[in-house]
Amino acid sequence: MTLDPTQPPPDPLAAATHPDPYPYYRELARGRPFHRDAMLMLWVAAGPAEVAAVLSHPACRVRPPGQPVPPPLAQSPAGTLFARLIRMNDGQGHAPLKTVLQRQLATLDLNEVRAAASAWARRLPVTRDHAATANRWSSALPVIAIAGWLGLTAADDETTASRIAAQIASFAAAMSPLAGPAEIAAGIEAAVSLQRLPLCDGTPWALALREQARAAGVDDEAIAANLLGLMVQSCEATAGLIGNTLLWLAHDAAAADDLRAAVARVLRADPPIHNTRRFMAEDARVCGVPLRRGDAILVLLAAAATADGTPANAPAPAPAPAPDNPAEHHWTFGHGAHRCPGDALAATLAEATVSALLARGIEPAALARAYRYRPSLNARIPHFL
Ligand code: HEM
């Protein structure tokens, strides 16, 4: 569906792919920071304090009660993989691995990641169809770089790396509520192959991650699933960040002189992830409203970002950004227990990919002449035509 840029989005789910949803988000954040959308049958958190409160509330969980896996994936290899991901789980069982992942991701040498991504970029082909090239690299390069980093493919095996990137994209697409039967079947097939991937040596960083996880009592299946999970989490969101940065450069060519700053600006002003959801595990008051077990809340990260300043009463403020962390604190990476641990990695991969595309002659202004957003209820990912 093409949305009219002169009209506000019809509802908060359509906003993620609207040409300019930000005035609408600002109005929601200021005027209706926590409300019920009767048509969508969802509670909607839009103000920064409300978004932070929901994402920190102990009764607000990442999955609906009694439904650990989306029904279309249940009883399938894709469902098995989904159920092992820390992103999709609350509770103490996943805490040890989560701690190891967070700690290891915080120690990543971003210069080394940038160099590895640039080395892959030099090998990827540029065709005469620049739009197709930009689409392909935006999705594939971050995943390929992470796969190499983790030891899921040898550093010079472009064929395996590209196949893994395609399978990760299929699995990620199958997790979407918009996935049809063909996408779900492809995602299940991809999950089978991904779970059979043998591990190569990878970097010392990846070996340390595996050793620390084993020492913390995490079994190998959970470790392997969550290594795949890093790529799944990276896939669509980082593609959106890359595409939105290319669009930004189309209107501000000088921003290419400092790509790191441009990416940081886009994370704030035109972010790739616009919302996430939470589900009530029990009856409880949230933002002063009594909610019932099973109620669903749409958490509008992109609306919170339009409100000025940091939330005054955020229960768990994010730690101060490290000086070399280009991602700083951005709402698009979430908040609270499930906040994205890959923020700095994502910003670095986006910067490396955009830099590589520009170096190979891709012109943002030409790309911006024809594009649409990929159909999505939560992500803003340009597809260049
Ligand atoms: C621009 C790119 C990215 C964006 C906007 C993004 C955004 C997010 C958001 C919003 C969440 C929290 C979801 C929720 O609370 O419901 C999340 C979780 C997560 N992200 Fe990212 N992400 C990005 C890239 C990455 C990358 C590159 C990695 C790889 C390391 C990654 C790994 C994760 C993981 C493992 C989680 C789950 C954390 C947990 O549940 O404890 N993300 N991401």
Side-chain angles (χ1 to χ4, degrees):
M1 178 174 66
T2 310
L3 295 167
D4 181 347
T6 63
Q7 296 296 317
D11 62 54
L13 288 178
T17 52
H18 184 276
D20 180 15
Y22 302 109
Y24 167 79
Y25 279 142
R26 198 169 295 119
E27 217 172 286
L28 283 184
R30 288 196 185 140
R32 308 175 70 200
F34 191 76
H35 67 277
R36 173 94 182 148
D37 187 311
M39 291 293 285
L40 297 177
M41 295 195 297
L42 290 168
W43 290 93
V44 179
E50 289 73 13
V51 165
V54 172
L55 294 180
S56 310
H57 198 296
C60 298
R61 306 285 171 81
V62 290
R63 294 291 311 155
Q67 198 196 88
V69 171
L73 302 184
Q75 315 297 332
S76 80
T80 310
L81 179 52
F82 185 99
R84 290 190 176 125
L85 300 178
I86 57 165
R87 159 73 181 86
M88 305 303 168
N89 282 279
D90 293 292
Q92 284 311 302
H94 295 263
L97 180 53
K98 191 163 162 141
T99 307
V100 170
L101 276 177
Q102 285 168 337
R103 197 171 53 217
Q104 273 302 96
L105 282 165
T107 66
L108 260 182
D109 182 331
L110 297 177
N111 288 326
E112 281 184 26
V113 172
R114 194 179 288 109
S118 305
W120 280 110
R122 281 193 286 279
R123 287 210 294 272
L124 294 188
V126 172
T127 64
R128 264 195 286 172
D129 183 345
H130 282 189
T133 301
N135 292 333
R136 179 163 183 268
W137 281 36
S138 304
S139 291
L141 186 55
V143 177
I144 286 176
I146 297 180
W149 195 258
L150 293 176
L152 293 166
T153 176
D156 56 355
D157 185 354
E158 195 185 312
T159 313
T160 308
S162 295
R163 193 184 64 234
I164 292 174
Q167 289 167 340
I168 289 286
S170 290
F171 177 67
M175 284 163 49
S176 163
L178 298 179
E183 281 147 330
I184 288 166
I188 291 172
E189 202 179 307
V192 173
S193 308
L194 287 167
Q195 288 175 98
R196 283 192 192 134
L197 275 177
L199 285 180
C200 311
D201 278 351
T203 55
W205 180 92
L207 287 175
L209 191 158
R210 277 182 247 158
E211 271 164 27
Q212 286 174 25
R214 281 189 193 123
V218 182
D219 66 56
D220 281 359
E221 283 175 336
I223 299 173
N226 280 284
L227 294 183
L228 297 174
L230 294 182
M231 293 187 287
V232 174
Q233 286 300 130
S234 152
C235 178
E236 296 189 340
T238 314
L241 180 56
I242 294 164
N244 293 339
T245 303
L246 289 167
L247 289 176
W248 190 271
L249 297 180
H251 299 108
D252 180 3
D257 295 343
D258 185 350
L259 280 181
R260 184 178 149 158
V263 167
R265 183 97 186 92
V266 170
L267 282 167
R268 263 183 218 295
D270 194 20
I273 296 296
H274 279 209
N275 67 63
T276 184
R277 295 188 195 208
R278 289 294 183 271
F279 305 87
M280 297 302 294
E282 59 200 54
D283 296 359
R285 288 186 89 79
V286 178
C287 300
V289 180
L291 302 195
R292 307 293 301 272
R293 176 182 149 85
D295 279 356
I297 309 172
L298 183 68
V299 184
L300 292 181
L301 302 166
T306 63
D308 295 331
T310 324
N313 58 346
D324 63 345
N325 178 351
E328 297 175 4
H329 175 71
H330 294 99
W331 283 108
T332 194
F333 291 114
H335 181 87
H338 287 276
R339 188 186 190 280
C340 181
D343 53 358
L345 174 60
T348 303
L349 290 173
E351 185 196 324
T353 306
V354 173
S355 168
L357 285 168
L358 297 182
R360 301 285 286 273
I362 301 288
E363 290 175 11
L367 294 178
R369 280 200 279 275
Y371 71 96
R372 58 174 171 75
Y373 290 103
R374 280 198 221 164
S376 173
L377 300 179
N378 76 324
R380 186 170 183 80
I381 312 170
H383 178 84
F384 301 106
L385 303 170

mmCIF file with all atom_site columns, all heavy atoms in Angstrom, residues 34 37 77 116 168 229 330:
data_model
loop_
_atom_site.group_PDB
_atom_site.id
_atom_site.type_symbol
_atom_site.label_atom_id
_atom_site.label_alt_id
_atom_site.label_comp_id
_atom_site.label_asym_id
_atom_site.label_entity_id
_atom_site.label_seq_id
_atom_site.pdbx_PDB_ins_code
_atom_site.Cartn_x
_atom_site.Cartn_y
_atom_site.Cartn_z
_atom_site.occupancy
_atom_site.B_iso_or_equiv
_atom_site.pdbx_formal_charge
_atom_site.auth_seq_id
_atom_site.auth_comp_id
_atom_site.auth_asym_id
_atom_site.auth_atom_id
_atom_site.pdbx_PDB_model_num
ATOM 1  N N   . PHE A 1 34  ? 0.108  7.345   26.506 1.00 0.00 ? 34  PHE A N   1
ATOM 2  C CA  . PHE A 1 34  ? -0.244 5.939   26.757 1.00 0.00 ? 34  PHE A CA  1
ATOM 3  C C   . PHE A 1 34  ? -1.739 5.814   26.549 1.00 0.00 ? 34  PHE A C   1
ATOM 4  O O   . PHE A 1 34  ? -2.518 6.402   27.286 1.00 0.00 ? 34  PHE A O   1
ATOM 5  C CB  . PHE A 1 34  ? 0.131  5.519   28.184 1.00 0.00 ? 34  PHE A CB  1
ATOM 6  C CG  . PHE A 1 34  ? 0.034  4.029   28.383 1.00 0.00 ? 34  PHE A CG  1
ATOM 7  C CD1 . PHE A 1 34  ? 1.018  3.191   27.881 1.00 0.00 ? 34  PHE A CD1 1
ATOM 8  C CD2 . PHE A 1 34  ? -1.033 3.461   29.063 1.00 0.00 ? 34  PHE A CD2 1
ATOM 9  C CE1 . PHE A 1 34  ? 0.929  1.798   28.040 1.00 0.00 ? 34  PHE A CE1 1
ATOM 10 C CE2 . PHE A 1 34  ? -1.125 2.071   29.228 1.00 0.00 ? 34  PHE A CE2 1
ATOM 11 C CZ  . PHE A 1 34  ? -0.135 1.245   28.721 1.00 0.00 ? 34  PHE A CZ  1
ATOM 12 N N   . ASP A 1 37  ? -5.618 1.738   21.465 1.00 0.00 ? 37  ASP A N   1
ATOM 13 C CA  . ASP A 1 37  ? -6.073 1.859   20.088 1.00 0.00 ? 37  ASP A CA  1
ATOM 14 C C   . ASP A 1 37  ? -7.110 0.758   19.878 1.00 0.00 ? 37  ASP A C   1
ATOM 15 O O   . ASP A 1 37  ? -6.758 -0.430  19.778 1.00 0.00 ? 37  ASP A O   1
ATOM 16 C CB  . ASP A 1 37  ? -4.888 1.715   19.113 1.00 0.00 ? 37  ASP A CB  1
ATOM 17 C CG  . ASP A 1 37  ? -5.292 2.015   17.680 1.00 0.00 ? 37  ASP A CG  1
ATOM 18 O OD1 . ASP A 1 37  ? -6.324 1.462   17.232 1.00 0.00 ? 37  ASP A OD1 1
ATOM 19 O OD2 . ASP A 1 37  ? -4.601 2.800   17.014 1.00 0.00 ? 37  ASP A OD2 1
ATOM 20 N N   . PRO A 1 77  ? 11.611 -26.654 12.786 1.00 0.00 ? 77  PRO A N   1
ATOM 21 C CA  . PRO A 1 77  ? 12.998 -26.301 13.149 1.00 0.00 ? 77  PRO A CA  1
ATOM 22 C C   . PRO A 1 77  ? 13.159 -24.787 13.348 1.00 0.00 ? 77  PRO A C   1
ATOM 23 O O   . PRO A 1 77  ? 13.975 -24.350 14.156 1.00 0.00 ? 77  PRO A O   1
ATOM 24 C CB  . PRO A 1 77  ? 13.811 -26.778 11.942 1.00 0.00 ? 77  PRO A CB  1
ATOM 25 C CG  . PRO A 1 77  ? 12.961 -27.823 11.303 1.00 0.00 ? 77  PRO A CG  1
ATOM 26 C CD  . PRO A 1 77  ? 11.545 -27.417 11.536 1.00 0.00 ? 77  PRO A CD  1
ATOM 27 N N   . ALA A 1 116 ? 37.297 -5.663  8.831  1.00 0.00 ? 116 ALA A N   1
ATOM 28 C CA  . ALA A 1 116 ? 36.799 -6.943  8.304  1.00 0.00 ? 116 ALA A CA  1
ATOM 29 C C   . ALA A 1 116 ? 35.651 -6.704  7.329  1.00 0.00 ? 116 ALA A C   1
ATOM 30 O O   . ALA A 1 116 ? 35.593 -7.310  6.248  1.00 0.00 ? 116 ALA A O   1
ATOM 31 C CB  . ALA A 1 116 ? 36.329 -7.829  9.461  1.00 0.00 ? 116 ALA A CB  1
ATOM 32 N N   . ILE A 1 168 ? 19.753 -16.341 6.524  1.00 0.00 ? 168 ILE A N   1
ATOM 33 C CA  . ILE A 1 168 ? 19.391 -15.512 7.680  1.00 0.00 ? 168 ILE A CA  1
ATOM 34 C C   . ILE A 1 168 ? 18.232 -14.581 7.288  1.00 0.00 ? 168 ILE A C   1
ATOM 35 O O   . ILE A 1 168 ? 17.275 -14.397 8.051  1.00 0.00 ? 168 ILE A O   1
ATOM 36 C CB  . ILE A 1 168 ? 20.613 -14.687 8.159  1.00 0.00 ? 168 ILE A CB  1
ATOM 37 C CG1 . ILE A 1 168 ? 21.641 -15.610 8.817  1.00 0.00 ? 168 ILE A CG1 1
ATOM 38 C CG2 . ILE A 1 168 ? 20.196 -13.561 9.100  1.00 0.00 ? 168 ILE A CG2 1
ATOM 39 C CD1 . ILE A 1 168 ? 21.290 -16.118 10.204 1.00 0.00 ? 168 ILE A CD1 1
ATOM 40 N N   . GLY A 1 229 ? 21.431 -15.921 16.134 1.00 0.00 ? 229 GLY A N   1
ATOM 41 C CA  . GLY A 1 229 ? 20.554 -14.826 16.572 1.00 0.00 ? 229 GLY A CA  1
ATOM 42 C C   . GLY A 1 229 ? 21.204 -13.459 16.379 1.00 0.00 ? 229 GLY A C   1
ATOM 43 O O   . GLY A 1 229 ? 20.523 -12.494 16.047 1.00 0.00 ? 229 GLY A O   1
ATOM 44 N N   . HIS A 1 330 ? 20.187 5.581   21.804 1.00 0.00 ? 330 HIS A N   1
ATOM 45 C CA  . HIS A 1 330 ? 19.134 5.914   20.846 1.00 0.00 ? 330 HIS A CA  1
ATOM 46 C C   . HIS A 1 330 ? 17.938 5.019   21.137 1.00 0.00 ? 330 HIS A C   1
ATOM 47 O O   . HIS A 1 330 ? 18.099 3.821   21.368 1.00 0.00 ? 330 HIS A O   1
ATOM 48 C CB  . HIS A 1 330 ? 19.609 5.664   19.419 1.00 0.00 ? 330 HIS A CB  1
ATOM 49 C CG  . HIS A 1 330 ? 20.714 6.583   18.992 1.00 0.00 ? 330 HIS A CG  1
ATOM 50 N ND1 . HIS A 1 330 ? 22.028 6.211   19.011 1.00 0.00 ? 330 HIS A ND1 1
ATOM 51 C CD2 . HIS A 1 330 ? 20.687 7.860   18.562 1.00 0.00 ? 330 HIS A CD2 1
ATOM 52 C CE1 . HIS A 1 330 ? 22.773 7.222   18.595 1.00 0.00 ? 330 HIS A CE1 1
ATOM 53 N NE2 . HIS A 1 330 ? 21.987 8.238   18.326 1.00 0.00 ? 330 HIS A NE2 1
#
